[in-house]
Amino acid sequence: MMVVKDLSNALLTLKHVTKGFNDRTVLSDISLQIKRGDSIIIMGSNGSGKSTLLRLISGLIPVTAGERLIDSTGIVLGYAPDRMPKLKMTSTEYLTHMGRIAHISKQQLQARIDELHSLFQLEQSTIKMTQFSKGMLQKVNIMQATLNRPDLVVLDEPFSGLDKPSAEHLVSSLQAIQEEGASIVAAVHDPLLASQLDSTIYFIRQGKLSEEPMTDAASFNEISFEIVCYVEEELQEQLASQFPEAVFQSSDENRIIITIQKKDYNDFMTELLKNGIELFSLQRKVG
Amino acid sequence: MLLISLLSYLHTCFIRSYRFGPPSFIFLAGIVFIYSVVPNPVMESYSFSVSFLFIISTMLSYAIIDNETMNQEAISIMHAGNIRTLYIAKLLYSWLFTVPFAIFALLYPALTYKFDRAPSITELLMSLLYHLSASWLAVAITCWFCTKFIRSRLTSFLLLTLVVVVAFSAQSINNLLPSAIQYVTILFPPVNAMMDVLYNYENHALGMKWMPIGVTMLYSFASSALFLIILNRKKQDSPT
């Protein structure tokens, strides 16, 4: 993999990067420059290569062709994957382990863990992460990514599976992190983050990256559908992984309110019907 | 310091996963059962426990190396700085986890008078080295069967089982092969050589007693070093 020190003022630069798996090219000729304080949103449909691009940026996978250049002084990178595993430890234990691995001194680490719990409004308790909700797990996920005060935070679907209030709170937490001086690169379906973080929007289509104005991004999924039904937890997890932008909210009588975007409507409904799910209501929403 | 932090984290995750339970129980119960009949010859018995520990160590390291999910592993890599450091810690932890088993296999029969005579200090020390190098060999082989290299857990488990069987059958395979290609068996994990020397311990010169330990360490070092080099190039490369 090409990892070269960059002498420009960019934190990280991808130069004509191509990424393929076996014979399949997922991303081709990607060029992207991330500067200090930037907020970049990557949008695209399922399987378009958003996660692959983020993993390339993070250095988790090698480029097939092209170059990945990093700031000549070295940068601290934080990465939050699309799903946080449910580990058998408390959030404090987990962050302590991650912080120690990241060479953060004991005193600084404890202070930072307290600060992040407060910022994300997550109580430091003895409850293990196996009992956390999706929203709580996602908070821990972003907390670990920002633990070492990174120069660049890479977030893969940070709003995946979050209900509206949690997503809104996450936006404000990310704004606070940005104010600390971190650049953010996030893959999202929902333009909510884009509009509130004053971001540059990029779309991935057929493996190519293109910058697009906010208005195009906003219209990307302005029509949504709200489905009320009963879905077993196992199927719910499967659907959440298959449709990361779908928002699941608990309702009364064990019902679930699922909000999906227009482009996912056909696939999502097919999946529900295939699993014999009976709908209580279906509503088309604009805006 | 980084390695200690990684070892501590891996230990917490592995202990709380309870995946160590079945192999540990099989080993401890197996050793107690084997020595339920007394008396036993010293070095021949250690020959058996070396091979038993080799098998159990493959099971333990197979569980440890893929104990993290892919996403958590990505997070660990980001904090550790690179995938190589994380995997050095995983390999080291896999081996360290087997050390108490090696000591148990060594001391249980010696301290509970299961042998036909008291083993000498030299015999105990040599047997300890044999046990420790056998478990390191198991770790160095098993790492190749992680999901990074073989996606299917079933395929990797079957292939690992095959390699273990081949390792124990090296001498028989060598005898069956035409002399022109018998040299390929030097690529097989040298478990058989260890067992053979321990089984006929008294008949071997001092140099021959040390040789299997040296060969095993060399083989294990080469295998794990090559694994880390390839892994460092490959990183977390797989379609997501």
Side-chain angles (χ1 to χ4, degrees):
Chain A
M1 177 176 165
M2 301 291 286
V3 181
V4 186
K5 298 282 185 186
D6 191 4
L7 297 174
S8 73
N9 61 348
L11 285 176
L12 194 141
T13 307
L14 296 182
K15 265 189 182 173
H16 306 291
V17 164
T18 293
K19 182 65 194 172
F21 297 108
N22 301 323
D23 296 332
R24 193 166 63 94
T25 301
V26 179
L27 298 169
S28 67
D29 198 26
I30 302 280
S31 290
L32 180 70
Q33 199 168 52
I34 305 160
K35 291 183 176 166
R36 202 167 289 279
D38 272 359
S39 174
I40 293 172
I41 302 294
I42 313 285
M43 298 184 83
S45 54
N46 289 339
S48 60
K50 296 190 299 293
S51 295
T52 303
L53 177 59
L54 296 188
R55 292 166 79 79
L56 278 173
I57 291 171
S58 305
L60 286 166
I61 52 173
V63 298
T64 307
E67 283 182 317
R68 175 180 176 267
L69 306 155
I70 54 166
D71 185 276
S72 54
T73 55
I75 59 167
V76 178
L77 243 155
Y79 172 76
D82 54 348
R83 285 176 116 198
M84 179 83 198
K86 291 188 170 188
L87 297 172
K88 288 178 183 167
M89 53 181 94
T90 66
S91 59
T92 307
E93 276 181 309
Y94 176 68
L95 293 171
T96 304
H97 276 301
M98 292 301 115
R100 282 181 188 161
I101 293 169
H103 300 285
I104 305 174
S105 71
K106 206 173 176 180
Q107 279 182 330
Q108 280 182 326
L109 181 59
Q110 192 49 55
R112 183 65 174 156
I113 289 170
D114 294 344
E115 185 188 347
L116 285 170
H117 274 92
S118 157
L119 177 68
F120 283 85
Q121 292 174 14
L122 188 70
E123 197 184 331
Q124 293 194 60
S125 66
T126 53
I127 299 171
K128 293 206 164 58
M129 285 158 66
T130 43
Q131 293 168 316
F132 275 18
S133 68
K134 276 181 193 158
M136 290 161 84
L137 281 173
Q138 196 62 338
K139 282 178 181 178
V140 178
N141 192 10
I142 297 169
M143 282 157 78
Q144 66 74 23
T146 54
L147 191 62
N148 203 13
R149 299 189 193 277
D151 302 296
L152 173 61
V153 191
V154 179
L155 309 165
D156 194 352
E157 299 291 356
F159 300 106
S160 167
L162 293 188
D163 56 23
K164 208 174 170 186
S166 303
E168 278 169 0
H169 180 253
L170 198 55
V171 166
S172 59
S173 305
L174 288 175
Q175 279 170 331
I177 287 160
Q178 208 180 4
E179 280 162 17
E180 284 182 0
S183 304
I184 294 175
V185 178
V188 288
H189 277 75
D190 198 321
L192 176 71
L193 180 72
S195 60
Q196 296 187 21
L197 284 177
D198 190 22
S199 312
T200 311
I201 312 283
Y202 287 89
F203 269 83
I204 300 180
R205 290 193 184 95
Q206 275 113 37
K208 302 270 185 188
L209 190 70
S210 58
E211 190 177 341
E212 305 209 0
M214 178 80 77
T215 46
D216 289 0
S219 64
F220 180 68
N221 48 8
E222 62 186 2
I223 297 169
S224 63
F225 292 87
E226 192 179 271
I227 303 158
V228 181
C229 59
Y230 174 73
V231 182
E232 295 278 358
E233 200 174 340
E234 199 181 330
L235 179 60
Q236 200 177 313
E237 276 178 21
Q238 184 198 316
L239 290 168
S241 119
Q242 213 174 333
F243 303 92
E245 69 282 27
V247 176
F248 295 80
Q249 278 178 280
S250 297
S251 176
D252 52 353
E253 296 170 1
N254 291 331
R255 290 175 185 185
I256 304 283
I257 302 169
I258 310 168
T259 309
I260 54 163
Q261 304 306 324
K262 188 189 174 186
K263 62 185 178 50
D264 286 333
Y265 176 76
N266 285 341
D267 292 342
F268 196 91
M269 292 306 290
T270 308
E271 207 58 42
L272 279 190
L273 295 173
K274 207 168 71 184
N275 285 285
I277 301 299
E278 193 180 328
L279 306 187
F280 296 110
S281 72
L282 171 62
Q283 220 180 344
R284 186 175 185 271
K285 292 189 162 184
V286 180
Chain B
M1 192 62 199
L2 169 62
L3 263 184
I4 291 169
S5 304
L6 277 167
L7 290 173
S8 161
Y9 159 69
L10 292 171
H11 182 63
T12 306
C13 289
F14 191 57
I15 289 296
R16 293 184 188 180
S17 75
Y18 300 111
R19 292 173 79 181
F20 63 91
S24 305
F25 176 76
I26 290 169
F27 185 75
L28 297 175
I31 290 292
V32 171
F33 177 74
I34 290 301
Y35 287 113
S36 59
V37 177
V38 286
N40 297 282
V42 178
M43 298 312 272
E44 288 90 332
S45 301
Y46 282 145
S47 168
F48 166 78
S49 57
V50 163
S51 54
F52 193 18
L53 182 66
F54 174 76
I55 296 169
I56 292 300
S57 300
T58 59
M59 291 168 71
L60 283 166
S61 45
Y62 187 70
I64 290 168
I65 207 144
D66 280 326
N67 196 34
E68 284 186 303
T69 63
M70 197 165 164
N71 277 352
Q72 179 47 48
E73 188 179 277
I75 293 170
S76 304
I77 293 167
M78 295 305 292
H79 289 294
N82 58 66
I83 194 167
R84 191 183 51 229
T85 311
L86 175 66
Y87 270 79
I88 287 173
K90 284 189 181 189
L91 298 185
L92 187 59
Y93 177 69
S94 300
W95 179 73
L96 287 174
F97 200 89
T98 65
V99 171
F101 296 110
I103 293 168
F104 177 78
L106 194 80
L107 295 183
Y108 171 73
L111 297 178
T112 53
Y113 309 105
K114 302 292 184 187
F115 291 135
D116 53 7
R117 61 177 174 83
S120 68
I121 295 292
T122 315
E123 282 174 331
L124 283 173
L125 286 175
M126 281 301 272
S127 301
L128 178 64
L129 287 176
Y130 269 84
H131 280 86
L132 295 179
S133 42
S135 60
W136 178 242
L137 175 66
V139 173
I141 292 167
T142 310
C143 61
W144 293 96
F145 299 89
C146 66
T147 49
K148 290 276 158 315
F149 289 9
I150 303 169
R151 293 299 287 173
S152 159
R153 290 288 281 174
L154 177 65
T155 308
S156 64
F157 182 76
L158 292 176
L159 284 173
L160 177 60
T161 308
L162 181 70
V163 168
V164 170
V165 171
V166 164
F168 281 111
S169 320
Q171 192 55 50
S172 309
I173 294 170
N174 188 60
N175 295 341
L176 290 172
L177 288 174
S179 55
I181 57 163
Q182 275 181 347
Y183 65 90
V184 297
T185 54
I186 62 164
L187 294 173
F188 293 178
V191 189
N192 229 12
M194 300 179 88
M195 288 176 64
D196 181 56
V197 170
L198 280 175
Y199 206 80
N200 299 295
Y201 193 74
E202 298 301 330
N203 302 331
H204 289 291
L206 186 65
M208 277 303 291
K209 289 172 184 170
W210 278 98
M211 203 176 71
I213 298 171
V215 168
T216 305
M217 293 311 284
L218 196 67
Y219 187 99
S220 307
F221 177 77
S223 173
S224 45
L226 189 62
F227 168 77
L228 290 168
I229 291 167
I230 294 173
L231 187 76
N232 204 40
R233 285 189 189 162
K234 191 177 158 66
K235 299 181 187 291
Q236 268 210 321
D237 215 351
S238 64
T240 52

